[in-house]
mmCIF file of all heavy atoms in Angstrom:
data_model
loop_
_atom_site.group_PDB
_atom_site.id
_atom_site.type_symbol
_atom_site.label_atom_id
_atom_site.label_comp_id
_atom_site.label_asym_id
_atom_site.label_seq_id
_atom_site.Cartn_x
_atom_site.Cartn_y
_atom_site.Cartn_z
ATOM 1 N N GLU P 55 223.162 20.576 90.334
ATOM 2 C CA GLU P 55 222.173 21.462 89.707
ATOM 3 C C GLU P 55 221.241 22.019 90.797
ATOM 4 O O GLU P 55 221.030 21.395 91.853
ATOM 5 C CB GLU P 55 221.383 20.701 88.648
ATOM 6 C CG GLU P 55 220.227 21.445 87.998
ATOM 7 C CD GLU P 55 220.612 22.672 87.182
ATOM 8 O OE1 GLU P 55 221.742 23.154 87.336
ATOM 9 O OE2 GLU P 55 219.770 23.133 86.402
ATOM 10 N N THR P 56 220.686 23.187 90.527
ATOM 11 C CA THR P 56 219.788 23.866 91.470
ATOM 12 C C THR P 56 218.626 22.956 91.866
ATOM 13 O O THR P 56 218.037 22.277 91.025
ATOM 14 C CB THR P 56 219.242 25.148 90.833
ATOM 15 O OG1 THR P 56 220.341 25.960 90.427
ATOM 16 C CG2 THR P 56 218.372 25.914 91.807
ATOM 17 N N ARG P 57 218.346 22.921 93.132
ATOM 18 C CA ARG P 57 217.225 22.178 93.716
ATOM 19 C C ARG P 57 217.376 20.653 93.616
ATOM 20 O O ARG P 57 216.408 19.913 93.757
ATOM 21 C CB ARG P 57 215.879 22.615 93.131
ATOM 22 C CG ARG P 57 215.452 24.005 93.602
ATOM 23 C CD ARG P 57 214.080 24.375 93.060
ATOM 24 N NE ARG P 57 214.114 24.615 91.623
ATOM 25 C CZ ARG P 57 214.443 25.767 91.074
ATOM 26 N NH1 ARG P 57 214.781 26.791 91.834
ATOM 27 N NH2 ARG P 57 214.432 25.917 89.764
ATOM 28 N N VAL P 58 218.582 20.194 93.409
ATOM 29 C CA VAL P 58 218.844 18.747 93.419
ATOM 30 C C VAL P 58 219.380 18.371 94.800
ATOM 31 O O VAL P 58 220.212 19.092 95.370
ATOM 32 C CB VAL P 58 219.851 18.362 92.314
ATOM 33 C CG1 VAL P 58 220.331 16.916 92.467
ATOM 34 C CG2 VAL P 58 219.210 18.556 90.939
ATOM 35 N N SER P 59 218.924 17.250 95.306
ATOM 36 C CA SER P 59 219.286 16.812 96.645
ATOM 37 C C SER P 59 220.795 16.657 96.809
ATOM 38 O O SER P 59 221.493 16.159 95.913
ATOM 39 C CB SER P 59 218.614 15.481 96.967
ATOM 40 O OG SER P 59 219.112 14.939 98.172
ATOM 41 N N SER P 60 221.290 17.040 97.971
ATOM 42 C CA SER P 60 222.726 16.943 98.257
ATOM 43 C C SER P 60 223.176 15.500 98.511
ATOM 44 O O SER P 60 224.375 15.268 98.725
ATOM 45 C CB SER P 60 223.074 17.810 99.458
ATOM 46 O OG SER P 60 222.328 17.404 100.575
ATOM 47 N N ARG P 61 222.274 14.533 98.498
ATOM 48 C CA ARG P 61 222.737 13.140 98.617
ATOM 49 C C ARG P 61 223.368 12.660 97.301
ATOM 50 O O ARG P 61 223.994 11.605 97.266
ATOM 51 C CB ARG P 61 221.618 12.198 99.046
ATOM 52 C CG ARG P 61 220.479 12.047 98.125
ATOM 53 C CD ARG P 61 219.456 11.050 98.696
ATOM 54 N NE ARG P 61 218.313 10.909 97.810
ATOM 55 C CZ ARG P 61 217.251 11.696 97.858
ATOM 56 N NH1 ARG P 61 217.180 12.651 98.758
ATOM 57 N NH2 ARG P 61 216.249 11.516 97.011
ATOM 58 N N PHE P 62 223.211 13.453 96.227
ATOM 59 C CA PHE P 62 223.862 13.148 94.964
ATOM 60 C C PHE P 62 225.193 13.905 94.897
ATOM 61 O O PHE P 62 225.267 15.088 95.252
ATOM 62 C CB PHE P 62 223.005 13.561 93.765
ATOM 63 C CG PHE P 62 221.676 12.845 93.686
ATOM 64 C CD1 PHE P 62 220.501 13.510 93.997
ATOM 65 C CD2 PHE P 62 221.607 11.518 93.294
ATOM 66 C CE1 PHE P 62 219.274 12.863 93.921
ATOM 67 C CE2 PHE P 62 220.383 10.858 93.222
ATOM 68 C CZ PHE P 62 219.218 11.535 93.535
ATOM 69 N N SER P 63 226.239 13.216 94.414
ATOM 70 C CA SER P 63 227.524 13.884 94.257
ATOM 71 C C SER P 63 228.301 13.227 93.123
ATOM 72 O O SER P 63 227.991 12.103 92.696
ATOM 73 C CB SER P 63 228.333 13.842 95.551
ATOM 74 O OG SER P 63 228.660 12.506 95.885
ATOM 75 N N GLY P 64 229.299 13.955 92.643
ATOM 76 C CA GLY P 64 230.130 13.437 91.575
ATOM 77 C C GLY P 64 231.574 13.843 91.777
ATOM 78 O O GLY P 64 231.871 14.840 92.451
ATOM 79 N N SER P 65 232.476 13.048 91.196
ATOM 80 C CA SER P 65 233.897 13.357 91.296
ATOM 81 C C SER P 65 234.610 12.771 90.089
ATOM 82 O O SER P 65 234.022 12.041 89.274
ATOM 83 C CB SER P 65 234.482 12.799 92.593
ATOM 84 O OG SER P 65 234.413 11.387 92.595
ATOM 85 N N GLY P 66 235.909 13.095 89.998
ATOM 86 C CA GLY P 66 236.726 12.546 88.920
ATOM 87 C C GLY P 66 237.377 13.620 88.087
ATOM 88 O O GLY P 66 237.193 14.824 88.318
ATOM 89 N N SER P 67 238.152 13.171 87.108
ATOM 90 C CA SER P 67 238.798 14.090 86.172
ATOM 91 C C SER P 67 239.391 13.299 85.023
ATOM 92 O O SER P 67 239.653 12.103 85.163
ATOM 93 C CB SER P 67 239.886 14.904 86.867
ATOM 94 O OG SER P 67 240.924 14.041 87.289
ATOM 95 N N GLY P 68 239.573 13.985 83.894
ATOM 96 C CA GLY P 68 240.219 13.360 82.754
ATOM 97 C C GLY P 68 239.395 12.292 82.075
ATOM 98 O O GLY P 68 238.594 12.576 81.184
ATOM 99 N N THR P 69 239.581 11.054 82.495
ATOM 100 C CA THR P 69 238.873 9.952 81.860
ATOM 101 C C THR P 69 238.046 9.102 82.829
ATOM 102 O O THR P 69 237.285 8.238 82.378
ATOM 103 C CB THR P 69 239.848 9.006 81.137
ATOM 104 O OG1 THR P 69 240.732 8.425 82.099
ATOM 105 C CG2 THR P 69 240.643 9.731 80.058
ATOM 106 N N TYR P 70 238.189 9.299 84.118
ATOM 107 C CA TYR P 70 237.502 8.436 85.080
ATOM 108 C C TYR P 70 236.662 9.264 86.043
ATOM 109 O O TYR P 70 237.164 10.186 86.692
ATOM 110 C CB TYR P 70 238.529 7.603 85.854
ATOM 111 C CG TYR P 70 237.909 6.516 86.687
ATOM 112 C CD1 TYR P 70 237.497 5.321 86.113
ATOM 113 C CD2 TYR P 70 237.709 6.705 88.054
ATOM 114 C CE1 TYR P 70 236.915 4.325 86.879
ATOM 115 C CE2 TYR P 70 237.128 5.724 88.823
ATOM 116 C CZ TYR P 70 236.731 4.531 88.232
ATOM 117 O OH TYR P 70 236.144 3.554 88.982
ATOM 118 N N PHE P 71 235.387 8.896 86.148
ATOM 119 C CA PHE P 71 234.436 9.696 86.916
ATOM 120 C C PHE P 71 233.538 8.778 87.732
ATOM 121 O O PHE P 71 233.260 7.646 87.329
ATOM 122 C CB PHE P 71 233.581 10.548 85.973
ATOM 123 C CG PHE P 71 234.393 11.417 85.067
ATOM 124 C CD1 PHE P 71 234.813 10.950 83.829
ATOM 125 C CD2 PHE P 71 234.776 12.694 85.460
ATOM 126 C CE1 PHE P 71 235.592 11.732 82.999
ATOM 127 C CE2 PHE P 71 235.556 13.492 84.639
ATOM 128 C CZ PHE P 71 235.969 13.004 83.411
ATOM 129 N N THR P 72 233.089 9.285 88.868
ATOM 130 C CA THR P 72 232.162 8.527 89.693
ATOM 131 C C THR P 72 230.974 9.390 90.089
ATOM 132 O O THR P 72 231.094 10.619 90.237
ATOM 133 C CB THR P 72 232.835 7.983 90.967
ATOM 134 O OG1 THR P 72 233.313 9.087 91.736
ATOM 135 C CG2 THR P 72 233.971 7.058 90.640
ATOM 136 N N PHE P 73 229.860 8.723 90.268
ATOM 137 C CA PHE P 73 228.611 9.337 90.709
ATOM 138 C C PHE P 73 228.156 8.566 91.932
ATOM 139 O O PHE P 73 228.174 7.325 91.929
ATOM 140 C CB PHE P 73 227.575 9.243 89.582
ATOM 141 C CG PHE P 73 226.176 9.620 89.973
ATOM 142 C CD1 PHE P 73 225.782 10.944 90.035
ATOM 143 C CD2 PHE P 73 225.230 8.640 90.270
ATOM 144 C CE1 PHE P 73 224.483 11.291 90.374
ATOM 145 C CE2 PHE P 73 223.929 8.974 90.617
ATOM 146 C CZ PHE P 73 223.557 10.305 90.668
ATOM 147 N N THR P 74 227.753 9.280 92.974
ATOM 148 C CA THR P 74 227.394 8.626 94.232
ATOM 149 C C THR P 74 226.058 9.131 94.743
ATOM 150 O O THR P 74 225.766 10.330 94.674
ATOM 151 C CB THR P 74 228.478 8.886 95.295
ATOM 152 O OG1 THR P 74 229.722 8.358 94.824
ATOM 153 C CG2 THR P 74 228.120 8.218 96.611
ATOM 154 N N ILE P 75 225.262 8.208 95.217
ATOM 155 C CA ILE P 75 224.080 8.530 96.014
ATOM 156 C C ILE P 75 224.419 8.097 97.429
ATOM 157 O O ILE P 75 224.669 6.912 97.678
ATOM 158 C CB ILE P 75 222.818 7.802 95.512
ATOM 159 C CG1 ILE P 75 222.608 8.019 94.012
ATOM 160 C CG2 ILE P 75 221.585 8.265 96.290
ATOM 161 C CD1 ILE P 75 221.476 7.192 93.404
ATOM 162 N N SER P 76 224.446 9.033 98.358
ATOM 163 C CA SER P 76 224.981 8.725 99.695
ATOM 164 C C SER P 76 224.069 7.787 100.483
ATOM 165 O O SER P 76 224.540 6.926 101.231
ATOM 166 C CB SER P 76 225.203 10.015 100.481
ATOM 167 O OG SER P 76 223.978 10.721 100.609
ATOM 168 N N SER P 77 222.771 7.934 100.301
ATOM 169 C CA SER P 77 221.808 7.121 101.030
ATOM 170 C C SER P 77 220.564 6.990 100.154
ATOM 171 O O SER P 77 219.747 7.910 100.078
ATOM 172 C CB SER P 77 221.463 7.775 102.368
ATOM 173 O OG SER P 77 220.461 7.026 103.041
ATOM 174 N N LEU P 78 220.436 5.856 99.493
ATOM 175 C CA LEU P 78 219.384 5.679 98.494
ATOM 176 C C LEU P 78 218.001 5.831 99.094
ATOM 177 O O LEU P 78 217.695 5.239 100.143
ATOM 178 C CB LEU P 78 219.512 4.315 97.832
ATOM 179 C CG LEU P 78 218.555 4.095 96.662
ATOM 180 C CD1 LEU P 78 219.136 4.722 95.400
ATOM 181 C CD2 LEU P 78 218.271 2.612 96.447
ATOM 182 N N GLN P 79 217.168 6.617 98.421
ATOM 183 C CA GLN P 79 215.777 6.793 98.804
ATOM 184 C C GLN P 79 214.870 6.178 97.748
ATOM 185 O O GLN P 79 215.276 6.039 96.585
ATOM 186 C CB GLN P 79 215.461 8.274 98.968
ATOM 187 C CG GLN P 79 216.295 8.965 100.043
ATOM 188 C CD GLN P 79 216.136 8.312 101.406
ATOM 189 O OE1 GLN P 79 215.032 8.215 101.939
ATOM 190 N NE2 GLN P 79 217.256 7.829 101.965
ATOM 191 N N PRO P 80 213.656 5.810 98.100
ATOM 192 C CA PRO P 80 212.763 5.171 97.106
ATOM 193 C C PRO P 80 212.569 6.009 95.840
ATOM 194 O O PRO P 80 212.455 5.449 94.746
ATOM 195 C CB PRO P 80 211.451 5.015 97.882
ATOM 196 C CG PRO P 80 211.865 4.940 99.315
ATOM 197 C CD PRO P 80 213.068 5.844 99.441
ATOM 198 N N GLU P 81 212.572 7.320 95.985
ATOM 199 C CA GLU P 81 212.360 8.188 94.818
ATOM 200 C C GLU P 81 213.581 8.258 93.900
ATOM 201 O O GLU P 81 213.517 8.868 92.830
ATOM 202 C CB GLU P 81 211.961 9.604 95.246
ATOM 203 C CG GLU P 81 212.968 10.328 96.113
ATOM 204 C CD GLU P 81 212.726 10.153 97.593
ATOM 205 O OE1 GLU P 81 212.200 9.087 98.020
ATOM 206 O OE2 GLU P 81 213.072 11.096 98.360
ATOM 207 N N ASP P 82 214.677 7.632 94.302
ATOM 208 C CA ASP P 82 215.892 7.622 93.464
ATOM 209 C C ASP P 82 215.886 6.469 92.468
ATOM 210 O O ASP P 82 216.828 6.348 91.668
ATOM 211 C CB ASP P 82 217.148 7.521 94.339
ATOM 212 C CG ASP P 82 217.273 8.675 95.304
ATOM 213 O OD1 ASP P 82 216.712 9.759 95.018
ATOM 214 O OD2 ASP P 82 217.936 8.502 96.347
ATOM 215 N N ILE P 83 214.869 5.636 92.503
ATOM 216 C CA ILE P 83 214.779 4.535 91.553
ATOM 217 C C ILE P 83 214.619 5.114 90.159
ATOM 218 O O ILE P 83 213.645 5.841 89.862
ATOM 219 C CB ILE P 83 213.612 3.607 91.909
ATOM 220 C CG1 ILE P 83 213.831 2.988 93.284
ATOM 221 C CG2 ILE P 83 213.431 2.521 90.835
ATOM 222 C CD1 ILE P 83 215.189 2.398 93.499
ATOM 223 N N ALA P 84 215.601 4.821 89.289
ATOM 224 C CA ALA P 84 215.693 5.460 87.983
ATOM 225 C C ALA P 84 216.876 4.861 87.239
ATOM 226 O O ALA P 84 217.588 4.008 87.761
ATOM 227 C CB ALA P 84 215.905 6.979 88.145
ATOM 228 N N THR P 85 217.051 5.337 86.020
ATOM 229 C CA THR P 85 218.260 5.025 85.260
ATOM 230 C C THR P 85 219.111 6.283 85.205
ATOM 231 O O THR P 85 218.587 7.385 84.995
ATOM 232 C CB THR P 85 217.913 4.538 83.841
ATOM 233 O OG1 THR P 85 217.117 3.349 83.952
ATOM 234 C CG2 THR P 85 219.172 4.222 83.050
ATOM 235 N N TYR P 86 220.405 6.113 85.415
ATOM 236 C CA TYR P 86 221.346 7.233 85.465
ATOM 237 C C TYR P 86 222.309 7.149 84.284
ATOM 238 O O TYR P 86 222.796 6.065 83.945
ATOM 239 C CB TYR P 86 222.105 7.222 86.793
ATOM 240 C CG TYR P 86 221.194 7.480 87.962
ATOM 241 C CD1 TYR P 86 220.488 6.437 88.566
ATOM 242 C CD2 TYR P 86 220.992 8.768 88.448
ATOM 243 C CE1 TYR P 86 219.605 6.665 89.610
ATOM 244 C CE2 TYR P 86 220.121 9.011 89.505
ATOM 245 C CZ TYR P 86 219.433 7.963 90.067
ATOM 246 O OH TYR P 86 218.561 8.189 91.099
ATOM 247 N N TYR P 87 222.547 8.299 83.673
ATOM 248 C CA TYR P 87 223.430 8.381 82.507
ATOM 249 C C TYR P 87 224.525 9.414 82.739
ATOM 250 O O TYR P 87 224.249 10.519 83.218
ATOM 251 C CB TYR P 87 222.651 8.824 81.264
ATOM 252 C CG TYR P 87 221.611 7.848 80.772
ATOM 253 C CD1 TYR P 87 220.295 7.939 81.207
ATOM 254 C CD2 TYR P 87 221.940 6.840 79.869
ATOM 255 C CE1 TYR P 87 219.329 7.046 80.761
ATOM 256 C CE2 TYR P 87 220.984 5.949 79.409
ATOM 257 C CZ TYR P 87 219.679 6.058 79.857
ATOM 258 O OH TYR P 87 218.728 5.186 79.402
ATOM 259 N N CYS P 88 225.743 9.063 82.355
ATOM 260 C CA CYS P 88 226.789 10.069 82.250
ATOM 261 C C CYS P 88 226.812 10.579 80.800
ATOM 262 O O CYS P 88 226.310 9.914 79.885
ATOM 263 C CB CYS P 88 228.149 9.520 82.660
ATOM 264 S SG CYS P 88 228.784 8.165 81.632
ATOM 265 N N GLN P 89 227.382 11.751 80.608
ATOM 266 C CA GLN P 89 227.429 12.369 79.274
ATOM 267 C C GLN P 89 228.630 13.299 79.199
ATOM 268 O O GLN P 89 228.874 14.075 80.123
ATOM 269 C CB GLN P 89 226.157 13.173 78.999
ATOM 270 C CG GLN P 89 226.115 13.882 77.657
ATOM 271 C CD GLN P 89 225.853 15.364 77.779
ATOM 272 O OE1 GLN P 89 225.453 15.873 78.824
ATOM 273 N NE2 GLN P 89 226.073 16.092 76.694
ATOM 274 N N GLN P 90 229.374 13.217 78.102
ATOM 275 C CA GLN P 90 230.485 14.144 77.906
ATOM 276 C C GLN P 90 230.085 15.203 76.881
ATOM 277 O O GLN P 90 229.345 14.913 75.920
ATOM 278 C CB GLN P 90 231.751 13.407 77.461
ATOM 279 C CG GLN P 90 231.721 12.782 76.080
ATOM 280 C CD GLN P 90 232.017 13.760 74.954
ATOM 281 O OE1 GLN P 90 232.631 14.813 75.151
ATOM 282 N NE2 GLN P 90 231.580 13.424 73.737
ATOM 283 N N TYR P 91 230.595 16.427 77.105
ATOM 284 C CA TYR P 91 230.336 17.485 76.125
ATOM 285 C C TYR P 91 231.602 18.280 75.808
ATOM 286 O O TYR P 91 231.567 19.441 75.440
ATOM 287 C CB TYR P 91 229.164 18.381 76.540
ATOM 288 C CG TYR P 91 229.386 19.321 77.699
ATOM 289 C CD1 TYR P 91 229.471 20.681 77.493
ATOM 290 C CD2 TYR P 91 229.455 18.857 79.014
ATOM 291 C CE1 TYR P 91 229.632 21.572 78.545
ATOM 292 C CE2 TYR P 91 229.616 19.729 80.065
ATOM 293 C CZ TYR P 91 229.711 21.081 79.825
ATOM 294 O OH TYR P 91 229.873 21.951 80.879
ATOM 295 N N ASN P 92 232.738 17.581 75.962
ATOM 296 C CA ASN P 92 234.001 18.210 75.570
ATOM 297 C C ASN P 92 234.206 18.141 74.061
ATOM 298 O O ASN P 92 234.901 18.982 73.483
ATOM 299 C CB ASN P 92 235.166 17.522 76.280
ATOM 300 C CG ASN P 92 236.467 18.281 76.118
ATOM 301 O OD1 ASN P 92 236.537 19.484 76.362
ATOM 302 N ND2 ASN P 92 237.516 17.578 75.694
ATOM 303 N N TYR P 93 233.620 17.134 73.446
ATOM 304 C CA TYR P 93 233.765 16.941 72.004
ATOM 305 C C TYR P 93 232.402 16.693 71.373
ATOM 306 O O TYR P 93 231.542 16.034 71.962
ATOM 307 C CB TYR P 93 234.633 15.702 71.701
ATOM 308 C CG TYR P 93 236.060 15.781 72.182
ATOM 309 C CD1 TYR P 93 236.439 15.188 73.381
ATOM 310 C CD2 TYR P 93 237.030 16.431 71.434
ATOM 311 C CE1 TYR P 93 237.752 15.245 73.825
ATOM 312 C CE2 TYR P 93 238.341 16.490 71.864
ATOM 313 C CZ TYR P 93 238.698 15.906 73.060
ATOM 314 O OH TYR P 93 239.997 15.962 73.499
ATOM 315 N N LEU P 94 232.217 17.196 70.156
ATOM 316 C CA LEU P 94 231.096 16.762 69.340
ATOM 317 C C LEU P 94 231.524 15.499 68.589
ATOM 318 O O LEU P 94 232.678 15.435 68.136
ATOM 319 C CB LEU P 94 230.691 17.854 68.351
ATOM 320 C CG LEU P 94 229.931 19.054 68.936
ATOM 321 C CD1 LEU P 94 229.816 20.157 67.896
ATOM 322 C CD2 LEU P 94 228.561 18.624 69.426
ATOM 323 N N PRO P 95 230.660 14.501 68.444
ATOM 324 C CA PRO P 95 229.293 14.449 68.960
ATOM 325 C C PRO P 95 229.260 14.200 70.473
ATOM 326 O O PRO P 95 230.085 13.465 71.001
ATOM 327 C CB PRO P 95 228.688 13.257 68.223
ATOM 328 C CG PRO P 95 229.851 12.350 67.984
ATOM 329 C CD PRO P 95 231.015 13.251 67.726
#
Side-chain angles (χ1 to χ4, degrees):
Chain P
E55 174 64 344
T56 304
R57 288 183 290 275
V58 170
S59 171
S60 58
R61 63 179 179 273
F62 298 106
S63 64
S65 64
S67 65
T69 63
Y70 190 79
F71 305 90
T72 61
F73 170 81
T74 300
I75 308 173
S76 59
S77 176
L78 187 82
Q79 299 302 302
E81 60 267 31
D82 300 335
I83 298 312
T85 299
Y86 294 86
Y87 294 92
C88 63
Q89 179 235 346
Q90 68 82 22
Y91 71 109
N92 190 51
Y93 297 98
L94 285 170

